[in-house]
């Protein structure tokens, strides 16, 4: 990590920025609901939406970061044009993660702001302004809910015997045609189906509609795994969770620029070690078992 970076100062800056962006999101939704002319634009298709509030919040975030850290890079959800994370300090932001939820008034919406240095996430902030839940972390300093409750919220890692005892977050995503959609649905069916029919019979599947909130919920311990094709890692790691790349990667739990550039991720919560396996060994085992149910589809 660059020696001249004050991580505590950056974390405080990012928390303040997240809270301010959250206030813009709340106000933006109120104005949209009061207006008869509010519309959404389509990006890839009719389920991949962007609003004027997304764009305004991203401009606000970028301007604040450039003012405070003019030498840093920025990769944004709404301004993304193929940039990759490099060794330079790079901010990754999604002004409104859960835009479809935002449009519908479903309160699982957040702003997500993170900083990676040398390709490794070192600061992460995820704020849901409608539920007033702030998740934050800095490398080596732990992860917290509303800056008070240390994650995981159970206080210590819970055991997890197998996928059959897991609550797993999944999302349909914006790719709604073959091969992506049938492949995902096959995975969902395999995870949910009775073991007598070749399934894993997980406790259940959840679809929150926001990648960053799914990751935060894995960090809390409320969700056990989250499969993402397209993402906040620092909060998860500081809560003892592990992040993996796609199905064909090494699945070591190491996070670097190459892994993050792959845009395929699996997140596993902190798991209590046993006499036979360490936490990481169990996380790797669960990652491999989960990926046995999936195809390797493009992001």
């Amino acid at each position: 990590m660059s020696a001249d970076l004050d991580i505590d100062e950056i974390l405080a800056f990012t928390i303040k920025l997240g809270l301010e962006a959250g206030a813009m999101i709340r106000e933006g939704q109120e104005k949209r609901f009061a207006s008869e002319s509010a519309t959404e634009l389509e990006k890839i298709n009719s389920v991949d939406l962007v609003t004027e509030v997304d764009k305004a919040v991203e401009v606000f975030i970028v301007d604040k970061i450039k003012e405070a850290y003019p030498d840093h890079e920025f990769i944004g959800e709404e301004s993304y044009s193929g940039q990759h994370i490099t060794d330079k300090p790079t901010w990754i932001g999604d002004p409104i993660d859960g835009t479809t939820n935002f449009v519908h008034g479903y309160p699982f919406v957040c702003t997500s702001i993170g900083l990676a240095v040398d390709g490794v996430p070192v600061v992460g902030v995820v704020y849901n302004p409608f539920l007033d839940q702030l998740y934050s972390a800095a490398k080596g300093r732990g992860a917290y809910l509303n800056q008070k409750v240390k994650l995981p919220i159970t206080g210590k890692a819970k055991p997890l015997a197998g996928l059959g005892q897991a609550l797993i977050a999944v999302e349909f995503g914006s790719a709604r045609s073959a091969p992506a959609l049938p492949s995902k649905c096959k995975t969902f069916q395999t995870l949910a189906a009775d073991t007598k029919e070749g399934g894993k019979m997980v406790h259940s599947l959840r679809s929150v509609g926001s990648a960053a909130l799914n990751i935060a919920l894995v960090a809390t311990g409320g969700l056990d795994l989250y499969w993402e094709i397209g993402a906040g890692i620092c909060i998860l790691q500081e809560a003892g969770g592990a992040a993996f790349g796609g199905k064909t990667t090494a699945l070591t739990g190491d996070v670097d620029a190459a892994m993050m550039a792959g845009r395929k991720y699996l997140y596993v919560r902190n798991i209590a070690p046993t006499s036979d396996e360490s936490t990481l060994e169990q996380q790797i085992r669960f990652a491999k078992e989960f990926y046995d149910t999936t195809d390797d589809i493009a992001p």
Side-chain angles (χ1 to χ4, degrees):
M1 187 185 303
S2 300
D4 57 344
L5 290 179
D6 185 332
I7 293 301
D8 293 310
E9 178 184 273
I10 291 174
L11 176 61
F13 165 83
T14 311
I15 289 173
K16 183 174 184 291
L17 181 58
L19 292 171
E20 292 173 344
M24 288 183 66
I25 294 170
R26 273 196 312 270
E27 292 166 6
Q29 188 183 76
E30 290 173 2
K31 290 177 180 178
R32 284 178 57 82
F33 286 169
S35 171
E36 296 181 358
S37 59
T39 59
E40 303 82 43
L41 298 177
E42 298 177 6
K43 293 192 287 186
I44 296 174
N45 55 33
S46 62
V47 299
D48 188 16
L49 304 175
V50 61
T51 71
E52 73 286 353
V53 184
D54 292 79
K55 296 179 179 181
V57 174
E58 180 161 313
V59 169
F60 172 77
I61 290 171
V62 171
D63 287 348
K64 288 291 186 180
I65 290 173
K66 285 184 176 180
E67 179 182 335
Y69 304 101
D71 297 330
H72 291 193
E73 302 291 327
F74 182 85
I75 299 174
E77 172 72 14
E78 306 311 332
S79 58
Y80 178 74
S81 57
Q83 307 98 311
H84 292 293
I85 295 172
T86 67
D87 290 342
K88 296 182 65 175
T90 304
W91 294 83
I92 305 99
D94 190 345
I96 300 181
D97 188 7
T99 299
T100 300
N101 291 348
F102 174 78
V103 168
H104 285 268
Y106 187 63
F108 290 91
V109 177
C110 69
T111 190
S112 172
I113 309 168
L115 175 67
V117 180
D118 297 326
V120 177
V122 297
V123 169
V125 167
V126 171
Y127 179 52
N128 180 338
F130 299 108
L131 300 182
D132 195 25
Q133 293 175 329
L134 173 75
Y135 302 92
S136 61
K139 192 171 182 64
R141 291 155 176 81
Y144 293 85
L145 170 61
N146 290 337
Q147 303 182 74
K148 295 179 180 179
V149 180
K150 196 173 192 302
L151 304 183
I153 58 174
T154 49
K156 60 181 180 180
K158 301 179 294 183
L160 184 61
L163 282 185
Q165 286 72 50
L167 183 64
I168 300 176
V170 296
E171 299 289 349
F172 282 96
S174 58
R176 299 295 179 88
S177 57
L181 184 60
S183 177
K184 283 188 174 184
C185 289
K186 183 179 75 171
T187 294
F188 300 164
Q189 180 172 341
T190 300
L191 291 169
D194 194 302
T195 54
K196 296 175 184 177
E197 299 179 357
K200 296 295 182 179
M201 205 168 177
V202 302
H203 275 179
S204 195
L205 304 177
R206 294 289 182 266
S207 184
V208 171
S210 163
L213 287 178
N214 280 327
I215 299 167
L217 289 168
V218 175
T220 69
L223 291 171
D224 297 302
L225 291 88
Y226 169 46
W227 181 35
E228 163 71 354
I229 302 179
I233 294 177
C234 186
I235 295 170
L236 176 76
Q237 290 181 313
E238 286 301 308
F244 301 95
K247 180 174 183 174
T248 59
T249 62
L251 301 181
T252 62
D254 293 331
V255 175
D256 55 22
M259 177 266 191
M260 293 180 69
R263 299 185 63 230
K264 300 179 187 178
Y265 312 106
L266 178 66
Y267 304 96
V268 183
R269 71 159 168 84
N270 193 351
I271 303 173
T274 67
S275 58
D276 298 321
E277 290 181 298
S278 68
T279 294
L280 181 58
E281 286 171 338
Q282 291 184 86
Q283 290 166 329
I284 291 172
R285 175 167 58 82
F286 278 109
K288 291 178 178 178
E289 184 181 359
F290 178 87
Y291 273 136
D292 283 344
T293 72
T294 74
D295 298 324
D296 185 40
I297 57 179

